[in-house]
Amino acid sequence: MIFCYVIIGLIVILPFSILCCFDILENEKLTKKNKKKKMLKNQMREDAAQTEEHSSNYLAELPFANIEIMKEFDIKISERRQKKKRKRTLGDETEDDSDKKKKKKHLRPNYFISVPITNPKIHASIKAIQTLIIEEDDRYTKAMIPLSTLHMTLLVTYLSSEEEVNIAISVIKEVKESIQRILQGEPLLLPFHGIGHFRNEVVFVKMVEAEDFLKLKKITEVLRRAFEEKGILAGDSKDFKPHLTFMKLSRAPKLRSQGIKKLDPKLYKNFENQNFGNEKLVNLDLCSMLKKKQPNGYYHCEASITVGKLDCVHKLYT
Ligand code: AMP
């Protein structure tokens, strides 16, 4: 009788224990798989973070380091150019998918029209303010704009190929006469006074909105329209805010990790009423944001037009 019970017990318990063993083995396999997946995910996350840090360091050097600015300037790639690219790259993806990717890819401007700032008085005043800020807190050293790149941006644009760069070069050369007509042989003075900022992340010297301000606005408009006629969009004139940047947070990404997300206005409050001097408009440059800078430290220029006379520059500096 006992023997029968043992046999029945074995018949019932044995398959159950075998099933349990399989189950345990299967669970172990799954845990191992999950662990591997987790490790892979972490590795990918680390890689992505490193890539992001690398590219943001590089982009910090650019005048338009912030993609949001594209939106602010309302820069869109023209419909004609978008269609051209769509043809080239459409494969298995839907148009929507590809558009989304392209929007991300092409938002960042890569060229700008620059007024180089060369007046030694402006350079000296900016150097003084930069030095004082650094003396206050040397963590800001990297956030300072080198004097060799001091410029005023008139407009930014995105040029997608050598062909478009060449179009932009011919545009800037063609508008030279129209710009000279606006100037009527008179010097155009850009007076700099006081300090302003964009979202406490970019600090600049303000250009005084005096008589010549309107002429500069007109010149920018002429350039913008000439670009647009050739299918190159170059922002919007609504927010014409000529400024001379001397410090920006994006140049010093480490500050963020040190808890500095904004520039404290106290850093420059003593200069709010300072006169920085005048720049005379002489040259307009088509500059690359990405190409290697010139040996003198200034941006790589694809073209430069001279619209003002150099002769009386020193008399005009105040
Ligand atoms: P720039 O002086 O043109 O080299 O510009 C320096 C930085 O200021 C850019 O990287 C932009 O992030 C920012 N910026 C330029 N213009 C504007 C604007 N009108 N509004 C907000 N931010 C701007």
PDB file of all heavy atoms in Angstrom, residues 115-123 126 150-152 187-193 207 212 216 244 275-283 310 312-313 316-318:
ATOM      1  N   VAL A 115      29.321  92.587 -40.404  1.00  0.00           N
ATOM      2  CA  VAL A 115      30.027  93.874 -40.433  1.00  0.00           C
ATOM      3  C   VAL A 115      31.188  93.690 -39.458  1.00  0.00           C
ATOM      4  O   VAL A 115      30.977  93.568 -38.244  1.00  0.00           O
ATOM      5  CB  VAL A 115      29.121  95.025 -39.917  1.00  0.00           C
ATOM      6  CG1 VAL A 115      29.910  96.333 -39.874  1.00  0.00           C
ATOM      7  CG2 VAL A 115      27.874  95.160 -40.763  1.00  0.00           C
ATOM      8  N   PRO A 116      32.427  93.591 -39.973  1.00  0.00           N
ATOM      9  CA  PRO A 116      33.551  93.401 -39.042  1.00  0.00           C
ATOM     10  C   PRO A 116      33.750  94.644 -38.182  1.00  0.00           C
ATOM     11  O   PRO A 116      33.595  95.762 -38.670  1.00  0.00           O
ATOM     12  CB  PRO A 116      34.752  93.189 -39.983  1.00  0.00           C
ATOM     13  CG  PRO A 116      34.340  93.768 -41.294  1.00  0.00           C
ATOM     14  CD  PRO A 116      32.849  93.715 -41.383  1.00  0.00           C
ATOM     15  N   ILE A 117      34.039  94.427 -36.912  1.00  0.00           N
ATOM     16  CA  ILE A 117      34.242  95.567 -36.005  1.00  0.00           C
ATOM     17  C   ILE A 117      35.745  95.728 -35.787  1.00  0.00           C
ATOM     18  O   ILE A 117      36.405  94.850 -35.223  1.00  0.00           O
ATOM     19  CB  ILE A 117      33.496  95.339 -34.666  1.00  0.00           C
ATOM     20  CG1 ILE A 117      32.003  95.133 -34.909  1.00  0.00           C
ATOM     21  CG2 ILE A 117      33.751  96.492 -33.685  1.00  0.00           C
ATOM     22  CD1 ILE A 117      31.261  96.296 -35.533  1.00  0.00           C
ATOM     23  N   THR A 118      36.257  96.867 -36.241  1.00  0.00           N
ATOM     24  CA  THR A 118      37.719  97.034 -36.256  1.00  0.00           C
ATOM     25  C   THR A 118      38.205  98.251 -35.469  1.00  0.00           C
ATOM     26  O   THR A 118      39.409  98.422 -35.294  1.00  0.00           O
ATOM     27  CB  THR A 118      38.211  97.185 -37.717  1.00  0.00           C
ATOM     28  OG1 THR A 118      37.531  98.313 -38.280  1.00  0.00           O
ATOM     29  CG2 THR A 118      37.922  95.951 -38.551  1.00  0.00           C
ATOM     30  N   ASN A 119      37.294  99.103 -35.029  1.00  0.00           N
ATOM     31  CA  ASN A 119      37.706 100.317 -34.318  1.00  0.00           C
ATOM     32  C   ASN A 119      38.482  99.951 -33.043  1.00  0.00           C
ATOM     33  O   ASN A 119      37.943  99.277 -32.150  1.00  0.00           O
ATOM     34  CB  ASN A 119      36.449 101.130 -33.969  1.00  0.00           C
ATOM     35  CG  ASN A 119      36.780 102.399 -33.206  1.00  0.00           C
ATOM     36  OD1 ASN A 119      37.911 102.614 -32.779  1.00  0.00           O
ATOM     37  ND2 ASN A 119      35.778 103.243 -33.028  1.00  0.00           N
ATOM     38  N   PRO A 120      39.747 100.397 -32.939  1.00  0.00           N
ATOM     39  CA  PRO A 120      40.551 100.034 -31.765  1.00  0.00           C
ATOM     40  C   PRO A 120      39.926 100.503 -30.458  1.00  0.00           C
ATOM     41  O   PRO A 120      40.117  99.870 -29.412  1.00  0.00           O
ATOM     42  CB  PRO A 120      41.880 100.750 -32.008  1.00  0.00           C
ATOM     43  CG  PRO A 120      41.879 101.197 -33.423  1.00  0.00           C
ATOM     44  CD  PRO A 120      40.473 101.231 -33.917  1.00  0.00           C
ATOM     45  N   LYS A 121      39.155 101.603 -30.513  1.00  0.00           N
ATOM     46  CA  LYS A 121      38.544 102.085 -29.264  1.00  0.00           C
ATOM     47  C   LYS A 121      37.485 101.078 -28.776  1.00  0.00           C
ATOM     48  O   LYS A 121      37.408 100.775 -27.582  1.00  0.00           O
ATOM     49  CB  LYS A 121      37.896 103.461 -29.483  1.00  0.00           C
ATOM     50  CG  LYS A 121      37.333 103.943 -28.174  1.00  0.00           C
ATOM     51  CD  LYS A 121      36.518 105.186 -28.206  1.00  0.00           C
ATOM     52  CE  LYS A 121      35.887 105.361 -26.829  1.00  0.00           C
ATOM     53  NZ  LYS A 121      34.821 106.324 -26.827  1.00  0.00           N
ATOM     54  N   ILE A 122      36.701 100.562 -29.745  1.00  0.00           N
ATOM     55  CA  ILE A 122      35.679  99.570 -29.365  1.00  0.00           C
ATOM     56  C   ILE A 122      36.378  98.321 -28.815  1.00  0.00           C
ATOM     57  O   ILE A 122      35.980  97.771 -27.788  1.00  0.00           O
ATOM     58  CB  ILE A 122      34.775  99.222 -30.570  1.00  0.00           C
ATOM     59  CG1 ILE A 122      34.065 100.476 -31.088  1.00  0.00           C
ATOM     60  CG2 ILE A 122      33.781  98.129 -30.203  1.00  0.00           C
ATOM     61  CD1 ILE A 122      33.162 100.263 -32.289  1.00  0.00           C
ATOM     62  N   HIS A 123      37.442  97.892 -29.505  1.00  0.00           N
ATOM     63  CA  HIS A 123      38.183  96.706 -29.043  1.00  0.00           C
ATOM     64  C   HIS A 123      38.683  96.905 -27.611  1.00  0.00           C
ATOM     65  O   HIS A 123      38.536  96.020 -26.773  1.00  0.00           O
ATOM     66  CB  HIS A 123      39.375  96.438 -29.970  1.00  0.00           C
ATOM     67  CG  HIS A 123      38.981  95.712 -31.226  1.00  0.00           C
ATOM     68  ND1 HIS A 123      39.771  94.764 -31.828  1.00  0.00           N
ATOM     69  CD2 HIS A 123      37.877  95.791 -31.995  1.00  0.00           C
ATOM     70  CE1 HIS A 123      39.169  94.293 -32.911  1.00  0.00           C
ATOM     71  NE2 HIS A 123      38.022  94.912 -33.042  1.00  0.00           N
ATOM     72  N   ILE A 126      35.861  96.826 -25.063  1.00  0.00           N
ATOM     73  CA  ILE A 126      35.334  95.464 -24.857  1.00  0.00           C
ATOM     74  C   ILE A 126      36.336  94.624 -24.073  1.00  0.00           C
ATOM     75  O   ILE A 126      35.953  93.866 -23.170  1.00  0.00           O
ATOM     76  CB  ILE A 126      34.927  94.831 -26.210  1.00  0.00           C
ATOM     77  CG1 ILE A 126      33.635  95.511 -26.660  1.00  0.00           C
ATOM     78  CG2 ILE A 126      34.754  93.316 -26.096  1.00  0.00           C
ATOM     79  CD1 ILE A 126      32.968  94.974 -27.867  1.00  0.00           C
ATOM     80  N   LEU A 150      35.176  89.919 -33.467  1.00  0.00           N
ATOM     81  CA  LEU A 150      34.102  90.882 -33.181  1.00  0.00           C
ATOM     82  C   LEU A 150      33.415  91.296 -34.490  1.00  0.00           C
ATOM     83  O   LEU A 150      34.083  91.707 -35.443  1.00  0.00           O
ATOM     84  CB  LEU A 150      34.641  92.116 -32.477  1.00  0.00           C
ATOM     85  CG  LEU A 150      34.975  91.983 -30.993  1.00  0.00           C
ATOM     86  CD1 LEU A 150      35.445  93.319 -30.432  1.00  0.00           C
ATOM     87  CD2 LEU A 150      33.782  91.451 -30.193  1.00  0.00           C
ATOM     88  N   HIS A 151      32.111  91.204 -34.503  1.00  0.00           N
ATOM     89  CA  HIS A 151      31.363  91.519 -35.725  1.00  0.00           C
ATOM     90  C   HIS A 151      29.928  91.851 -35.357  1.00  0.00           C
ATOM     91  O   HIS A 151      29.485  91.567 -34.230  1.00  0.00           O
ATOM     92  CB  HIS A 151      31.356  90.310 -36.651  1.00  0.00           C
ATOM     93  CG  HIS A 151      30.539  89.173 -36.099  1.00  0.00           C
ATOM     94  ND1 HIS A 151      31.058  88.296 -35.162  1.00  0.00           N
ATOM     95  CD2 HIS A 151      29.244  88.816 -36.296  1.00  0.00           C
ATOM     96  CE1 HIS A 151      30.119  87.429 -34.837  1.00  0.00           C
ATOM     97  NE2 HIS A 151      28.991  87.720 -35.492  1.00  0.00           N
ATOM     98  N   MET A 152      29.237  92.407 -36.323  1.00  0.00           N
ATOM     99  CA  MET A 152      27.802  92.595 -36.145  1.00  0.00           C
ATOM    100  C   MET A 152      27.124  91.793 -37.249  1.00  0.00           C
ATOM    101  O   MET A 152      27.458  91.952 -38.426  1.00  0.00           O
ATOM    102  CB  MET A 152      27.467  94.078 -36.255  1.00  0.00           C
ATOM    103  CG  MET A 152      26.313  94.425 -35.378  1.00  0.00           C
ATOM    104  SD  MET A 152      26.142  96.184 -35.228  1.00  0.00           S
ATOM    105  CE  MET A 152      25.764  96.634 -36.869  1.00  0.00           C
ATOM    106  N   PRO A 187      29.370 108.675 -44.975  1.00  0.00           N
ATOM    107  CA  PRO A 187      29.774 107.545 -44.119  1.00  0.00           C
ATOM    108  C   PRO A 187      28.593 107.075 -43.263  1.00  0.00           C
ATOM    109  O   PRO A 187      27.775 107.899 -42.835  1.00  0.00           O
ATOM    110  CB  PRO A 187      30.877 108.140 -43.240  1.00  0.00           C
ATOM    111  CG  PRO A 187      30.699 109.603 -43.304  1.00  0.00           C
ATOM    112  CD  PRO A 187      29.998 109.940 -44.574  1.00  0.00           C
ATOM    113  N   LEU A 188      28.503 105.772 -43.062  1.00  0.00           N
ATOM    114  CA  LEU A 188      27.444 105.262 -42.175  1.00  0.00           C
ATOM    115  C   LEU A 188      28.092 104.880 -40.848  1.00  0.00           C
ATOM    116  O   LEU A 188      28.985 104.037 -40.796  1.00  0.00           O
ATOM    117  CB  LEU A 188      26.751 104.058 -42.799  1.00  0.00           C
ATOM    118  CG  LEU A 188      25.491 103.584 -42.066  1.00  0.00           C
ATOM    119  CD1 LEU A 188      24.465 103.046 -43.049  1.00  0.00           C
ATOM    120  CD2 LEU A 188      25.777 102.520 -41.033  1.00  0.00           C
ATOM    121  N   LEU A 189      27.643 105.553 -39.786  1.00  0.00           N
ATOM    122  CA  LEU A 189      28.250 105.321 -38.480  1.00  0.00           C
ATOM    123  C   LEU A 189      27.399 104.409 -37.614  1.00  0.00           C
ATOM    124  O   LEU A 189      26.176 104.562 -37.529  1.00  0.00           O
ATOM    125  CB  LEU A 189      28.442 106.648 -37.753  1.00  0.00           C
ATOM    126  CG  LEU A 189      29.570 107.535 -38.256  1.00  0.00           C
ATOM    127  CD1 LEU A 189      29.756 108.742 -37.348  1.00  0.00           C
ATOM    128  CD2 LEU A 189      30.883 106.749 -38.322  1.00  0.00           C
ATOM    129  N   LEU A 190      28.082 103.474 -36.990  1.00  0.00           N
ATOM    130  CA  LEU A 190      27.389 102.554 -36.086  1.00  0.00           C
ATOM    131  C   LEU A 190      27.838 102.898 -34.663  1.00  0.00           C
ATOM    132  O   LEU A 190      28.928 102.501 -34.244  1.00  0.00           O
ATOM    133  CB  LEU A 190      27.753 101.105 -36.428  1.00  0.00           C
ATOM    134  CG  LEU A 190      27.732 100.732 -37.927  1.00  0.00           C
ATOM    135  CD1 LEU A 190      28.425  99.406 -38.167  1.00  0.00           C
ATOM    136  CD2 LEU A 190      26.290 100.676 -38.419  1.00  0.00           C
ATOM    137  N   PRO A 191      27.008 103.651 -33.933  1.00  0.00           N
ATOM    138  CA  PRO A 191      27.420 104.044 -32.577  1.00  0.00           C
ATOM    139  C   PRO A 191      27.047 102.967 -31.552  1.00  0.00           C
ATOM    140  O   PRO A 191      25.924 102.472 -31.546  1.00  0.00           O
ATOM    141  CB  PRO A 191      26.606 105.316 -32.319  1.00  0.00           C
ATOM    142  CG  PRO A 191      25.587 105.388 -33.411  1.00  0.00           C
ATOM    143  CD  PRO A 191      25.723 104.221 -34.315  1.00  0.00           C
ATOM    144  N   PHE A 192      27.992 102.613 -30.713  1.00  0.00           N
ATOM    145  CA  PHE A 192      27.749 101.565 -29.713  1.00  0.00           C
ATOM    146  C   PHE A 192      27.723 102.155 -28.307  1.00  0.00           C
ATOM    147  O   PHE A 192      28.644 102.869 -27.910  1.00  0.00           O
ATOM    148  CB  PHE A 192      28.815 100.474 -29.825  1.00  0.00           C
ATOM    149  CG  PHE A 192      28.683  99.675 -31.086  1.00  0.00           C
ATOM    150  CD1 PHE A 192      29.542  99.886 -32.152  1.00  0.00           C
ATOM    151  CD2 PHE A 192      27.673  98.733 -31.227  1.00  0.00           C
ATOM    152  CE1 PHE A 192      29.410  99.156 -33.323  1.00  0.00           C
ATOM    153  CE2 PHE A 192      27.528  98.003 -32.396  1.00  0.00           C
ATOM    154  CZ  PHE A 192      28.406  98.216 -33.446  1.00  0.00           C
ATOM    155  N   HIS A 193      26.653 101.826 -27.590  1.00  0.00           N
ATOM    156  CA  HIS A 193      26.474 102.394 -26.259  1.00  0.00           C
ATOM    157  C   HIS A 193      25.631 101.442 -25.400  1.00  0.00           C
ATOM    158  O   HIS A 193      24.590 100.969 -25.839  1.00  0.00           O
ATOM    159  CB  HIS A 193      25.749 103.746 -26.404  1.00  0.00           C
ATOM    160  CG  HIS A 193      25.621 104.477 -25.128  1.00  0.00           C
ATOM    161  ND1 HIS A 193      26.509 105.464 -24.733  1.00  0.00           N
ATOM    162  CD2 HIS A 193      24.722 104.353 -24.115  1.00  0.00           C
ATOM    163  CE1 HIS A 193      26.147 105.919 -23.554  1.00  0.00           C
ATOM    164  NE2 HIS A 193      25.068 105.257 -23.153  1.00  0.00           N
ATOM    165  N   MET A 207      23.642  98.749 -30.269  1.00  0.00           N
ATOM    166  CA  MET A 207      23.873  99.789 -31.255  1.00  0.00           C
ATOM    167  C   MET A 207      22.789 100.838 -31.057  1.00  0.00           C
ATOM    168  O   MET A 207      21.607 100.507 -30.941  1.00  0.00           O
ATOM    169  CB  MET A 207      23.784  99.207 -32.668  1.00  0.00           C
ATOM    170  CG  MET A 207      24.179 100.224 -33.715  1.00  0.00           C
ATOM    171  SD  MET A 207      23.784  99.667 -35.362  1.00  0.00           S
ATOM    172  CE  MET A 207      23.361 101.235 -36.087  1.00  0.00           C
ATOM    173  N   ASP A 212      21.393 106.698 -38.561  1.00  0.00           N
ATOM    174  CA  ASP A 212      21.987 105.705 -39.460  1.00  0.00           C
ATOM    175  C   ASP A 212      21.435 104.295 -39.242  1.00  0.00           C
ATOM    176  O   ASP A 212      21.658 103.405 -40.063  1.00  0.00           O
ATOM    177  CB  ASP A 212      23.517 105.696 -39.290  1.00  0.00           C
ATOM    178  CG  ASP A 212      24.138 106.888 -40.008  1.00  0.00           C
ATOM    179  OD1 ASP A 212      23.392 107.607 -40.704  1.00  0.00           O
ATOM    180  OD2 ASP A 212      25.355 107.085 -39.857  1.00  0.00           O
ATOM    181  N   LEU A 216      21.008 101.294 -42.045  1.00  0.00           N
ATOM    182  CA  LEU A 216      21.535  99.939 -41.895  1.00  0.00           C
ATOM    183  C   LEU A 216      20.412  98.914 -42.087  1.00  0.00           C
ATOM    184  O   LEU A 216      20.597  97.867 -42.702  1.00  0.00           O
ATOM    185  CB  LEU A 216      22.180  99.778 -40.511  1.00  0.00           C
ATOM    186  CG  LEU A 216      22.941  98.472 -40.307  1.00  0.00           C
ATOM    187  CD1 LEU A 216      24.193  98.442 -41.169  1.00  0.00           C
ATOM    188  CD2 LEU A 216      23.324  98.276 -38.852  1.00  0.00           C
ATOM    189  N   LEU A 244      26.447  93.851 -30.774  1.00  0.00           N
ATOM    190  CA  LEU A 244      27.849  93.444 -30.821  1.00  0.00           C
ATOM    191  C   LEU A 244      28.125  92.518 -29.636  1.00  0.00           C
ATOM    192  O   LEU A 244      28.349  92.963 -28.505  1.00  0.00           O
ATOM    193  CB  LEU A 244      28.719  94.720 -30.770  1.00  0.00           C
ATOM    194  CG  LEU A 244      30.223  94.566 -30.677  1.00  0.00           C
ATOM    195  CD1 LEU A 244      30.764  93.603 -31.704  1.00  0.00           C
ATOM    196  CD2 LEU A 244      30.873  95.930 -30.862  1.00  0.00           C
ATOM    197  N   ASN A 275      29.961 104.414 -23.151  1.00  0.00           N
ATOM    198  CA  ASN A 275      30.025 104.659 -24.585  1.00  0.00           C
ATOM    199  C   ASN A 275      31.187 103.848 -25.144  1.00  0.00           C
ATOM    200  O   ASN A 275      32.313 103.964 -24.660  1.00  0.00           O
ATOM    201  CB  ASN A 275      30.229 106.163 -24.816  1.00  0.00           C
ATOM    202  CG  ASN A 275      30.225 106.489 -26.277  1.00  0.00           C
ATOM    203  OD1 ASN A 275      29.627 105.759 -27.080  1.00  0.00           O
ATOM    204  ND2 ASN A 275      30.887 107.569 -26.651  1.00  0.00           N
ATOM    205  N   PHE A 276      30.929 103.038 -26.134  1.00  0.00           N
ATOM    206  CA  PHE A 276      31.971 102.161 -26.672  1.00  0.00           C
ATOM    207  C   PHE A 276      32.596 102.710 -27.956  1.00  0.00           C
ATOM    208  O   PHE A 276      33.532 102.143 -28.488  1.00  0.00           O
ATOM    209  CB  PHE A 276      31.396 100.765 -26.938  1.00  0.00           C
ATOM    210  CG  PHE A 276      31.154  99.978 -25.681  1.00  0.00           C
ATOM    211  CD1 PHE A 276      30.010 100.195 -24.914  1.00  0.00           C
ATOM    212  CD2 PHE A 276      32.067  99.034 -25.240  1.00  0.00           C
ATOM    213  CE1 PHE A 276      29.790  99.478 -23.755  1.00  0.00           C
ATOM    214  CE2 PHE A 276      31.849  98.316 -24.083  1.00  0.00           C
ATOM    215  CZ  PHE A 276      30.713  98.541 -23.326  1.00  0.00           C
ATOM    216  N   GLY A 277      32.023 103.784 -28.510  1.00  0.00           N
ATOM    217  CA  GLY A 277      32.585 104.376 -29.731  1.00  0.00           C
ATOM    218  C   GLY A 277      31.792 104.006 -30.975  1.00  0.00           C
ATOM    219  O   GLY A 277      30.796 103.278 -30.901  1.00  0.00           O
ATOM    220  N   ASN A 278      32.256 104.526 -32.104  1.00  0.00           N
ATOM    221  CA  ASN A 278      31.556 104.293 -33.379  1.00  0.00           C
ATOM    222  C   ASN A 278      32.364 103.379 -34.285  1.00  0.00           C
ATOM    223  O   ASN A 278      33.592 103.462 -34.299  1.00  0.00           O
ATOM    224  CB  ASN A 278      31.397 105.610 -34.147  1.00  0.00           C
ATOM    225  CG  ASN A 278      30.553 106.598 -33.392  1.00  0.00           C
ATOM    226  OD1 ASN A 278      29.590 106.233 -32.738  1.00  0.00           O
ATOM    227  ND2 ASN A 278      30.940 107.869 -33.472  1.00  0.00           N
ATOM    228  N   GLU A 279      31.655 102.570 -35.042  1.00  0.00           N
ATOM    229  CA  GLU A 279      32.308 101.836 -36.121  1.00  0.00           C
ATOM    230  C   GLU A 279      31.802 102.460 -37.411  1.00  0.00           C
ATOM    231  O   GLU A 279      30.619 102.790 -37.534  1.00  0.00           O
ATOM    232  CB  GLU A 279      31.912 100.358 -36.058  1.00  0.00           C
ATOM    233  CG  GLU A 279      32.534  99.487 -37.117  1.00  0.00           C
ATOM    234  CD  GLU A 279      34.022  99.185 -36.862  1.00  0.00           C
ATOM    235  OE1 GLU A 279      34.434  99.130 -35.690  1.00  0.00           O
ATOM    236  OE2 GLU A 279      34.751  99.030 -37.865  1.00  0.00           O
ATOM    237  N   LYS A 280      32.687 102.614 -38.368  1.00  0.00           N
ATOM    238  CA  LYS A 280      32.227 103.119 -39.662  1.00  0.00           C
ATOM    239  C   LYS A 280      32.015 101.913 -40.566  1.00  0.00           C
ATOM    240  O   LYS A 280      32.865 101.010 -40.617  1.00  0.00           O
ATOM    241  CB  LYS A 280      33.276 104.059 -40.251  1.00  0.00           C
ATOM    242  CG  LYS A 280      32.772 104.724 -41.496  1.00  0.00           C
ATOM    243  CD  LYS A 280      33.893 105.399 -42.232  1.00  0.00           C
ATOM    244  CE  LYS A 280      33.369 105.870 -43.567  1.00  0.00           C
ATOM    245  NZ  LYS A 280      34.400 105.813 -44.589  1.00  0.00           N
ATOM    246  N   LEU A 281      30.876 101.906 -41.254  1.00  0.00           N
ATOM    247  CA  LEU A 281      30.621 100.777 -42.154  1.00  0.00           C
ATOM    248  C   LEU A 281      31.515 100.898 -43.380  1.00  0.00           C
ATOM    249  O   LEU A 281      31.381 101.845 -44.162  1.00  0.00           O
ATOM    250  CB  LEU A 281      29.145 100.753 -42.566  1.00  0.00           C
ATOM    251  CG  LEU A 281      28.771  99.643 -43.544  1.00  0.00           C
ATOM    252  CD1 LEU A 281      28.860  98.277 -42.896  1.00  0.00           C
ATOM    253  CD2 LEU A 281      27.376  99.847 -44.109  1.00  0.00           C
ATOM    254  N   VAL A 282      32.421  99.955 -43.526  1.00  0.00           N
ATOM    255  CA  VAL A 282      33.309  99.954 -44.700  1.00  0.00           C
ATOM    256  C   VAL A 282      33.087  98.674 -45.504  1.00  0.00           C
ATOM    257  O   VAL A 282      32.803  98.716 -46.695  1.00  0.00           O
ATOM    258  CB  VAL A 282      34.794 100.074 -44.280  1.00  0.00           C
ATOM    259  CG1 VAL A 282      35.708  99.990 -45.497  1.00  0.00           C
ATOM    260  CG2 VAL A 282      35.037 101.385 -43.543  1.00  0.00           C
ATOM    261  N   ASN A 283      33.166  97.538 -44.834  1.00  0.00           N
ATOM    262  CA  ASN A 283      33.024  96.250 -45.537  1.00  0.00           C
ATOM    263  C   ASN A 283      31.819  95.460 -45.055  1.00  0.00           C
ATOM    264  O   ASN A 283      31.423  95.555 -43.889  1.00  0.00           O
ATOM    265  CB  ASN A 283      34.268  95.389 -45.295  1.00  0.00           C
ATOM    266  CG  ASN A 283      35.464  95.912 -46.037  1.00  0.00           C
ATOM    267  OD1 ASN A 283      35.347  96.423 -47.152  1.00  0.00           O
ATOM    268  ND2 ASN A 283      36.619  95.822 -45.416  1.00  0.00           N
ATOM    269  N   LEU A 310      37.573 104.106 -46.648  1.00  0.00           N
ATOM    270  CA  LEU A 310      38.451 103.883 -45.498  1.00  0.00           C
ATOM    271  C   LEU A 310      39.125 105.161 -45.021  1.00  0.00           C
ATOM    272  O   LEU A 310      39.457 105.293 -43.854  1.00  0.00           O
ATOM    273  CB  LEU A 310      39.549 102.886 -45.882  1.00  0.00           C
ATOM    274  CG  LEU A 310      39.216 101.406 -45.752  1.00  0.00           C
ATOM    275  CD1 LEU A 310      40.272 100.584 -46.458  1.00  0.00           C
ATOM    276  CD2 LEU A 310      39.139 101.008 -44.281  1.00  0.00           C
ATOM    277  N   CYS A 312      38.581 108.323 -44.112  1.00  0.00           N
ATOM    278  CA  CYS A 312      38.305 109.172 -42.952  1.00  0.00           C
ATOM    279  C   CYS A 312      38.000 108.366 -41.694  1.00  0.00           C
ATOM    280  O   CYS A 312      37.527 108.905 -40.705  1.00  0.00           O
ATOM    281  CB  CYS A 312      37.168 110.129 -43.255  1.00  0.00           C
ATOM    282  SG  CYS A 312      35.776 109.284 -43.977  1.00  0.00           S
ATOM    283  N   VAL A 313      38.310 107.060 -41.729  1.00  0.00           N
ATOM    284  CA  VAL A 313      37.938 106.210 -40.593  1.00  0.00           C
ATOM    285  C   VAL A 313      38.441 106.755 -39.262  1.00  0.00           C
ATOM    286  O   VAL A 313      37.680 106.910 -38.318  1.00  0.00           O
ATOM    287  CB  VAL A 313      38.464 104.769 -40.804  1.00  0.00           C
ATOM    288  CG1 VAL A 313      38.350 103.963 -39.535  1.00  0.00           C
ATOM    289  CG2 VAL A 313      37.699 104.106 -41.906  1.00  0.00           C
ATOM    290  N   LEU A 316      36.745 109.699 -37.747  1.00  0.00           N
ATOM    291  CA  LEU A 316      35.377 109.462 -37.286  1.00  0.00           C
ATOM    292  C   LEU A 316      35.313 108.709 -35.960  1.00  0.00           C
ATOM    293  O   LEU A 316      34.316 108.733 -35.274  1.00  0.00           O
ATOM    294  CB  LEU A 316      34.600 108.690 -38.355  1.00  0.00           C
ATOM    295  CG  LEU A 316      34.267 109.534 -39.582  1.00  0.00           C
ATOM    296  CD1 LEU A 316      33.906 108.649 -40.758  1.00  0.00           C
ATOM    297  CD2 LEU A 316      33.140 110.480 -39.275  1.00  0.00           C
ATOM    298  N   TYR A 317      36.365 107.996 -35.649  1.00  0.00           N
ATOM    299  CA  TYR A 317      36.327 107.249 -34.393  1.00  0.00           C
ATOM    300  C   TYR A 317      36.309 108.213 -33.213  1.00  0.00           C
ATOM    301  O   TYR A 317      37.101 109.130 -33.153  1.00  0.00           O
ATOM    302  CB  TYR A 317      37.567 106.350 -34.292  1.00  0.00           C
ATOM    303  CG  TYR A 317      37.500 105.120 -35.153  1.00  0.00           C
ATOM    304  CD1 TYR A 317      38.655 104.455 -35.518  1.00  0.00           C
ATOM    305  CD2 TYR A 317      36.293 104.606 -35.589  1.00  0.00           C
ATOM    306  CE1 TYR A 317      38.615 103.321 -36.303  1.00  0.00           C
ATOM    307  CE2 TYR A 317      36.242 103.464 -36.375  1.00  0.00           C
ATOM    308  CZ  TYR A 317      37.406 102.837 -36.732  1.00  0.00           C
ATOM    309  OH  TYR A 317      37.359 101.713 -37.485  1.00  0.00           O
ATOM    310  N   THR A 318      35.395 107.978 -32.319  1.00  0.00           N
ATOM    311  CA  THR A 318      35.325 108.865 -31.155  1.00  0.00           C
ATOM    312  C   THR A 318      35.475 108.053 -29.882  1.00  0.00           C
ATOM    313  O   THR A 318      35.261 106.877 -29.891  1.00  0.00           O
ATOM    314  CB  THR A 318      33.971 109.609 -31.105  1.00  0.00           C
ATOM    315  OG1 THR A 318      32.952 108.616 -31.186  1.00  0.00           O
ATOM    316  CG2 THR A 318      33.871 110.592 -32.221  1.00  0.00           C
TER     317      THR A 318
END
